[in-house]
Amino acid sequence: MSDYDSIESLQEQGILDSKKVAVIKGCLIMFFHCSIFAVLASQIFAIWLDKQMHLNSLQIGELLGMKTLVAVFYKPLFGWLLDKTQLRIRFIITIAIGGLGAGPFFQFVYKPLLESHTTTGFFLAGLLGGVYFGYVIIAAGGVVWTYTGRYIEAHGGTVDKLAASNSTAWLLMSFILTMLYTINPIWGFYLASLSALGMFITLLTLKVKAFDSLNTKSTSKQKIQLADLKKLVSNPRFYVLVFFAITTMVVVFAQYGQIGRYSLSFWPKNMQTYGLKFDAYLTLPLRIIQIFILAVCSKIIKKFNPSRTLMLVGVGYGLSFLAFGCAALLKDYNPGGSYMPSLVASIIAKQMLLFVHPFFNVVVLSYVFASFDKVMAGTALLVGFHFVSNLGASLGNGVIGEMLKTQGWGRSYVELAIYIFVATIILGLLIKFANYKDKVRVLSHLKSKVSGETEA
């Protein structure tokens, strides 16, 4: 009996979850972790730093950069641990345990350090924030995506619903967090702790011990060897992933936290609280449509090709940034006129970005599963994408913060849009090269096989 037959037999006996139950549990884990992520890395967080902690664009950029810089060094370790532990929960459950402390950490550690308004307090907040953010959300984000994808596929399901679960979490948390912010800004951090509790409880219900002795399409009994690492770094598709991460996603991650402040700046100061609520209500219908699309997008990605969808996501980001830049320039060149034209343009630009952004996760995950074997998929994702993009973003936060401070929003976003468009063109050339190398490798294999059969 094959391992695949064993899975079905174990499911019938109740030793393993059924495909449907596995999908539900995987989506719940993703939902709860993305809820933590949505609170701790939301646009409201940058607004909190601005309005409550009274930091400027450069300081916020430096603070976000510091937390990301510290966090990226978890990535290689997390990738190795994920591939080593496969579906065992002893590693991933520590992420949920860390999330439980979100509320107390930000109320009693992070906030007082920033309120000290000293250089030491500022940099200590950046360091400790990096240690905490990195373990619970920044490095953990890729871990949870890969783990839940493996868990669902190991039970015979597909990962289509994960992106929808992710988007649902961001939709609910963004709305609830906005409402909580207008009442008491600190309450949102305890919302992350509550989400972590849900993740912890769900992880305890997983039936995964049997996979220690099974080979499936997403798990392996094989231990990672040095040859596996050599094979990974010699694969041209690994560098396609790295290039996309170090160009397009570095820019996106570096400025994404500042978007909330940017869009809020188009509202008159006496209407900004209303603007926050208006934005939350406006986003609801778009997010609901997005959730339905994400629920079926894996099939579309496979049909269209994961490599091409990487380029499509890049174009979407470029158009969003260009729209942001045009909205800011419209405001700059009409200082004495009505604020409505630029406000409407900024709202459209933000909705464009909010629509595009959730797709990068499922596109990258689909690309990784299609390009790398199950032994090294976690390492490829954590190192080739998340480590590179977060390391670049940690440096880019300060650079973009300085751009916004010295050049203004309009010119900065137009320049960033042009940069992404150029990067997407180069990405297309790299994908063509990777396809060519694949063809050469396949033809070489076929020739060797034919030659061997002829000699025999």
Side-chain angles (χ1 to χ4, degrees):
M1 185 169 64
S2 71
D3 284 336
Y4 294 101
D5 293 330
S6 298
I7 292 169
E8 293 181 358
S9 174
L10 292 172
Q11 286 176 323
E12 290 176 0
Q13 298 173 52
I15 296 173
L16 292 180
D17 289 322
S18 67
K19 183 197 307 184
K20 183 177 180 180
V21 172
V23 170
I24 292 172
K25 288 184 178 180
C27 287
L28 279 174
I29 295 168
M30 174 63 71
F31 174 84
F32 286 125
H33 186 263
C34 286
S35 295
I36 303 170
F37 208 127
V39 172
L40 302 185
S42 69
Q43 295 167 16
I44 291 293
F45 182 70
I47 294 173
W48 179 74
L49 292 174
D50 179 3
K51 306 298 182 184
Q52 305 298 321
M53 299 296 103
H54 309 294
L55 304 181
N56 60 39
S57 295
L58 179 57
Q59 290 174 316
I60 293 173
E62 289 175 341
L63 196 63
L64 296 178
M66 280 190 286
K67 73 176 177 61
T68 308
L69 181 61
V70 175
V72 294
F73 294 103
Y74 287 118
K75 299 283 184 173
L77 174 63
F78 276 23
W80 178 77
L81 284 172
L82 184 63
D83 287 328
K84 183 178 177 61
T85 57
Q86 296 285 303
L87 288 180
R88 293 186 290 274
I89 68 168
R90 61 191 181 198
F91 165 48
I92 195 169
I93 204 168
T94 64
I95 295 170
I97 293 172
L100 292 171
F105 174 77
F106 283 96
Q107 182 174 6
F108 301 113
V109 179
Y110 200 75
K111 185 172 179 280
L113 286 172
L114 292 178
E115 286 179 331
S116 69
H117 297 295
T118 63
T119 302
T120 301
F122 180 82
F123 282 100
L124 194 55
L127 175 63
L128 293 178
V131 172
Y132 186 79
F133 275 100
Y135 201 95
V136 176
I137 60 169
I138 299 177
V143 170
V144 176
W145 270 96
T146 307
Y147 182 89
T148 52
R150 280 180 175 174
Y151 180 80
I152 290 173
E153 289 200 332
H155 288 79
T158 59
V159 299
D160 302 66
K161 306 298 186 296
L162 286 179
S165 179
N166 169 53
S167 190
T168 301
W170 278 89
L171 167 65
L172 291 177
M173 290 302 110
S174 295
F175 183 81
I176 296 171
L177 192 59
T178 300
M179 298 300 112
L180 287 178
Y181 181 84
T182 61
I183 302 171
N184 187 330
I186 206 68
W187 287 0
F189 297 119
Y190 285 92
L191 188 61
S193 295
L194 184 62
S195 300
L197 179 61
M199 180 181 175
F200 179 82
I201 293 172
T202 306
L203 284 169
L204 293 179
T205 69
L206 301 187
K207 302 174 182 178
V208 293
K209 189 174 182 180
F211 286 105
D212 290 347
S213 58
L214 292 173
N215 262 324
T216 75
K217 61 182 178 180
S218 60
T219 63
S220 174
K221 291 181 287 187
Q222 178 185 344
K223 294 183 178 179
I224 299 174
Q225 306 290 333
L226 182 60
D228 296 316
L229 290 171
K230 291 180 178 178
K231 183 179 178 181
L232 177 66
V233 298
S234 64
N235 187 341
R237 297 201 178 277
F238 179 71
Y239 297 99
V240 170
L241 184 66
V242 169
F243 183 81
F244 178 72
I246 207 169
T247 53
T248 299
M249 296 314 300
V250 161
V251 172
V252 172
F253 289 157
Q255 61 73 52
Y256 193 76
Q258 302 251 27
I259 287 294
R261 294 179 58 245
Y262 164 63
S263 60
L264 199 61
S265 69
F266 286 87
W267 290 85
K269 288 187 177 181
N270 63 339
M271 296 180 64
Q272 289 187 349
T273 300
Y274 170 79
L276 277 174
K277 293 181 178 180
F278 176 83
D279 183 70
Y281 284 112
L282 181 66
T283 302
L284 280 173
L286 178 70
R287 287 287 197 177
I288 292 171
I289 295 171
Q290 185 185 68
I291 288 167
F292 282 107
I293 297 174
L294 284 166
V296 298
C297 72
S298 288
K299 296 178 182 178
I300 299 172
I301 290 170
K302 288 178 182 178
K303 187 174 181 180
F304 191 68
N305 188 297
S307 298
R308 292 175 183 170
T309 50
L310 283 178
M311 296 179 62
L312 190 61
V313 168
V315 171
Y317 280 129
L319 290 174
S320 301
F321 283 12
L322 185 61
F324 273 124
C326 290
L329 291 174
L330 183 63
K331 179 183 178 182
D332 293 340
Y333 288 107
N334 188 29
S338 172
Y339 66 89
M340 286 302 297
S342 59
L343 174 61
V344 172
S346 72
I347 290 172
I348 293 172
K350 185 176 182 181
Q351 299 310 310
M352 288 173 61
L353 180 60
L354 290 178
F355 185 81
V356 172
H357 191 56
F359 286 93
F360 91 85
N361 271 315
V362 68
V363 167
V364 169
L365 197 62
S366 297
Y367 179 83
V368 168
F369 283 166
S371 303
F372 310 103
D373 61 41
K374 59 192 175 185
V375 177
M376 294 303 296
T379 300
L381 181 67
L382 268 293
V383 177
F385 181 77
H386 287 283
F387 175 79
V388 171
S389 60
N390 289 144
L391 179 61
S394 67
L395 304 174
N397 267 300
V399 174
I400 291 180
E402 181 66 23
M403 284 178 65
L404 297 175
K405 182 180 178 181
T406 57
Q407 296 183 179
W409 298 98
R411 182 179 170 185
S412 296
Y413 273 100
V414 170
E415 290 177 357
L416 292 174
I418 293 171
Y419 174 79
I420 288 178
F421 286 138
V422 172
T424 303
I425 293 172
I426 298 173
L427 179 70
L429 297 176
L430 287 175
I431 289 171
K432 282 191 173 183
F433 175 74
N435 291 340
Y436 167 75
K437 294 296 288 184
D438 276 350
K439 289 179 182 179
V440 170
R441 179 177 54 80
V442 170
L443 287 174
S444 176
H445 176 72
L446 289 175
K447 286 180 181 179
S448 299
K449 186 176 180 181
V450 171
S451 176
E453 290 176 350
T454 302
E455 290 178 1

